[in-house]
Amino acid sequence: MRNPRASWRALLVQAVLVLALATLAYLAAANAAQKLARQGIVAGFGFLDRAAGFDIGQSLIPYAAATATYRDAFLVGLLNTLLVSGLAIVLSTVLGFAIGIARRSGNLLARAFAAAYVEGFRNLPLLLQLLVWYVAVRVALPPSSDPAQWGAGAYLSQRGLFLPRPEFSGFAALVPLAVVAGIGATGLLIRASRRAVALGQKPVPVLWPGALLVLGLPALTAAALALAGDPVPVAWPARGPYDIEGGLALRPEFAALLIGLSTYSAAFIAEIVRSGLDSVASGQREAAAALSLSRGQVLRLVVLPQAMRVIVPPLTSQYLNTTKNSSLAVLIGYPDLVHVFMGTVLNQTNQAVEVVALTMAVYLTLSLATALVMNRYNARAAGTRR
């Protein structure tokens, strides 16, 4: 039987410990504020509303050096970090699953290539790989004085790739909503296919219907808007006196960072997938083959769903590492959060405590959000398998 006095004693000890930690934190903050005041530095986040006065090479939102504030610079760096991290997670997942499945392929050449890929990319430092990709990308591109041109709206040079930029404002916002609807409908098809297999029925086709939903719905929406007299506005790039102006600019720094993060993370994901596939008993494959399922259907509908219970936990850690590794962008000049905020903003404002605290809070929030989503998926998938 639990002793009530011991329980109260334990609660008292914990309360004293929390109070002591809070006191230490307060004293440290007060001491830091006093030292900053002596140096003429005003503590607080009021500096975010001051004029930034510097330009940023790549921005997903309107940003002008003459009118932008440090808050705008923070948002630009944050969005750039989210862009490259999100795309790297998607690309590395696709490539990693393909390499991991190839490592258990019946084709000797596919197995050898997958093993060489994993051992090569996994055992080289990411910092070195980013430098190699950055140099390779820039050397392979045409010079800025003579960019390559395709049609009337696509340019490629050492300054980057410039493409037409659609503006999804007003009724044009229906187009990205159609993409989301197509992805949701494809998810329903996948669930229906798995349910049919669980009931011993013929699986529902997913690949081509899903592709039509994801690509066809946005195309039909854009066509309907054009017929209604409200087409999606497009900003076209054009040759300027010094550089290509307008449109959507994809800088070499972005391409090098995205390729480096994707290929490096894919090597680790491939090993995670391989271990997950090995965890599924061979009898599951034999039973699926007895139901006249093809090898692709056996993998997609039987093996992978069971392997995911082993794949998801380490895959979550790899996603977190990919997001944190994006901070190495400062080495090649990609304007991510660390480069913009911890670099330029910190040097101009000297608000070290606030800048470091905001940057740490962003990466902590991104990591916790990613872990929450993956853990919920893992719990839901594990629940359906019981």
Side-chain angles (χ1 to χ4, degrees), residues 153 162-167 232-238 245-249:
F162 298 84
L163 299 172
R165 179 175 185 170
E167 302 289 344
V232 178
V234 178
W236 295 86
E245 299 177 351
L248 176 64

Side-chain angles (χ1 to χ4, degrees), residues 293-316:
L293 297 180
S294 65
R295 293 185 64 180
Q297 290 174 332
V298 171
L299 177 65
R300 179 169 55 87
L301 300 174
V302 177
V303 177
L304 272 180
Q306 297 183 68
M308 290 303 290
R309 71 181 186 273
V310 177
I311 292 174
V312 171
L315 185 64
T316 302

